[in-house]
Amino acid sequence: MMAVNGKRPRSWFFTTVFWAVVAFGVLAALGIPRWWESLTVAVVGVAASYGWWKRRQRGEFWIFFGVMCSLVAILAFLATGRALLTTVKVPVDSIGQETIVCGSVMNPAPNDSLRVTDIRTGEPTTRPQAIPHTQLEQACVKRLDYRVAEATAATVVGLLLAGRAIGHVVLSSSATRTLSALPSPERRTSRLRRPSRRH
C-alpha cells in the first residue's frame, strides 16, 4: 500500500503484531481463556492499533478490508452474546444424560434450585448416592466463570477489529493534510498555461 507522497508507510510492523495478537485472542476464546491472556491481547492490541492508526494510509482495497473487519467483529460480539445468554448445562455422568442446569451468566439459577435432571425429560433424577449440593454449586460456578472469560476474550477481539474497521474507512489526519497540500488539477493546469514574463 503506497502512501500519497510516494513513500511506503511504516505500518507493516504494527499490522503484523495486530493480526498476531488477534489470532492469539481467537484461539484463547475458543479454548479456555485465562484473565491474563485477555489482558495481554487488549494491551498489545491497543498499542498495535495506535501505531497503525498514526501511520495508516487509505489503500486501494480499503472498503474490502473495512467490511471484512466489521463482519468478523460482529461475529465476535455474537459469540459474546452467546456466552452470556445461553443456558449452561453441566453433565454429571460419562454418557451426558444427567446434567445440572445452571442458568446463564446474565440469569444464573438460584443455588437452592440446582438439581440433577434428566436431559431427555427435564425432570429431576433420583440417584443411589445423591451429589452434595455444594458440589452442584461449585460445578455451576466454575462453568459460569468460564463463560465470563470466554465473553471477555470475544469482546476484546471484537473491539480491536471494530477499531481496525473504522481505521480503514476513516482517512488519517496526516493523509488529509497531505491531500490538502497537493495542488488541485485546475491549479496545475493554470500554472502550465500561464505565459512567462519577458525581460
Side-chain angles (χ1 to χ4, degrees), residues 5-196:
N5 57 4
K7 297 181 180 179
R8 184 179 179 84
R10 296 181 178 180
S11 60
W12 62 268
F13 173 77
F14 297 100
T15 297
T16 303
V17 173
F18 176 84
W19 287 114
V21 76
V22 166
F24 178 80
V26 171
L27 293 177
L30 294 176
I32 303 177
R34 301 174 179 85
W35 67 268
W36 60 267
E37 292 177 341
S38 298
L39 180 61
T40 301
V41 170
V43 173
V44 179
V46 168
S49 298
Y50 177 79
W52 175 78
W53 264 75
K54 299 294 289 185
R55 294 163 177 81
R56 76 190 191 283
Q57 300 289 342
R58 178 176 289 179
E60 183 179 359
F61 303 102
W62 62 275
I63 296 179
F64 172 78
F65 289 121
V67 171
M68 292 304 297
C69 289
S70 300
L71 292 177
V72 181
I74 292 174
L75 292 177
F77 290 134
L78 289 177
T80 300
R82 172 188 173 278
L84 295 177
L85 300 177
T86 56
T87 301
V88 175
K89 296 181 179 180
V90 181
V92 297
D93 58 355
S94 58
I95 302 177
Q97 293 182 352
E98 296 180 348
T99 60
I100 310 169
V101 180
C102 304
S104 64
V105 175
M106 301 302 296
N107 186 25
N111 291 335
D112 55 358
S113 66
L114 297 178
R115 300 288 187 276
V116 178
T117 59
D118 192 324
I119 193 174
R120 296 167 299 182
T121 62
E123 298 294 331
T125 60
T126 57
R127 299 172 61 91
Q129 295 180 352
I131 299 177
H133 199 77
T134 55
Q135 292 187 10
L136 301 180
E137 296 178 5
Q138 293 174 359
C140 285
V141 168
K142 183 177 180 180
R143 188 59 62 90
L144 291 175
D145 288 343
Y146 163 73
R147 285 293 182 90
V148 171
E150 181 183 356
T152 302
T155 301
V156 170
V157 172
L159 291 176
L160 291 176
L161 289 172
R164 187 82 176 190
I166 295 174
H168 280 296
V169 175
V170 178
L171 192 62
S172 63
S173 58
S174 59
T176 304
R177 290 193 298 268
T178 303
L179 289 175
S180 61
L182 292 176
S184 61
E186 292 79 6
R187 291 181 180 178
R188 290 197 296 266
T189 304
S190 62
R191 289 179 181 178
L192 292 175
R193 294 179 178 177
R194 183 179 298 173
S196 60

